[in-house]
Amino acid sequence: MQNRQLGTSGPQVSAIGLGCMGMSSMYGAGVDRAESIATIHAALDAGITLLDTGDFYGMGHNELLIHEALRTAQAASRERALTSVKFGALRGPDGAWTGHDGRPAAVKNFLAYSLQRLGTDHIDIYRIARLDPAVPIEETVGAIAEAVQAGYVRHIGLSEVGAETIRRAAAVAPISDLQIEYSLLARGIEDEILPVCRELGIGITPYGVLSRGLISGHWRRERTTDAQDFRSRAPRFQGENLDRNLELVEALRKIAAAKGVSVAQIAIAWVLAQGVRRSTAIVPLVGSRRRDQLAEALGALDVTLDADDLAAVEEAVPAGAAAGDRYPEAQMDTLDSEKK
């Protein structure tokens, strides 16, 4: 497994990280707990060191799952594992999303519960999931910086914030990385956000590199989703939007087939290639829930895309070609990264 320095102030991590959200929530019922733990073990055995979660994924379920997986993993793999945790999302007992809380007192409270659920004395990278519009980012980051000084947190990250907020946060304390959606279908960070991160020495840990399965090569028009599946409400998976997006996938499939790789592998390889291309540490988070999905994702590390390959991929899926927003309107309104 190759490693990357996550920004100038962050840790050394594997070239690909494992996003664990789908093992607890967002993608529908039917998740197999034993398979989830086996997938985390397989990721660690393959050399993946970065495990990404959020304290609100399954209302704590995901952190408890990671705790169990690390507790039962081989000692050497467990010692190499790094946890990246998002906090701040507020939810009701019915699962409803009710806002975000970035107050310093809330930061300490969220952190205390995460440490307990994860069964650890520190979190490697800690970040608020969405900017709290009622709390200056300086106050939130300042509270995490105090946790760093106290030894409870090793590094400070950001999530889904825009260029101005990134600058303000970085003026308070060193920032290791920005977690944000980035894929062939979501390239909005390239104009302003990514250059600012490069300037400030901040890495990128992109999620949604397969657009929540849409450009995995496995999604079909006739596939059904249950009410617990975020994609049943996501604009890119609806009606004519879905038809248009699947046309892009078929164009990508032809390029993948010519290289003898899968659609998912070429899509992940494209994101990996942007790190060198844009002189920025970019560590994709793959949201594999099963070992077969993980094995396919890891195959992307063996895919080399030269200039001609990259040009062909971007001709097949041009910037801005995706039909539909990446979140429903109400959630788009919470993204500081989308503010113009």
Side-chain angles (χ1 to χ4, degrees), residues 7 26 38 40 66 77 106 109 169 177 210 255 277 283 287 314:
M26 300 301 287
I40 295 173
I66 290 173
S77 296
N109 183 75
D177 67 299
L210 294 178
I255 300 170
R277 194 181 191 187
V283 177
E314 290 167 13

Side-chain angles (χ1 to χ4, degrees), residues 213-225:
L214 181 56
I215 56 172
S216 66
H218 303 300
W219 197 272
R220 295 291 181 266
R221 181 68 178 81
E222 60 274 13
R223 179 169 172 173
T224 59
T225 53

Side-chain angles (χ1 to χ4, degrees), residues 145-176:
E146 290 180 2
V148 172
Q149 292 177 342
Y152 298 122
V153 172
R154 297 284 169 81
H155 304 280
I156 304 171
L158 297 171
S159 175
E160 284 290 358
V161 291
E164 179 185 352
T165 303
I166 294 168
R167 290 189 182 280
R168 289 169 52 196
V172 175
I175 305 297
S176 67

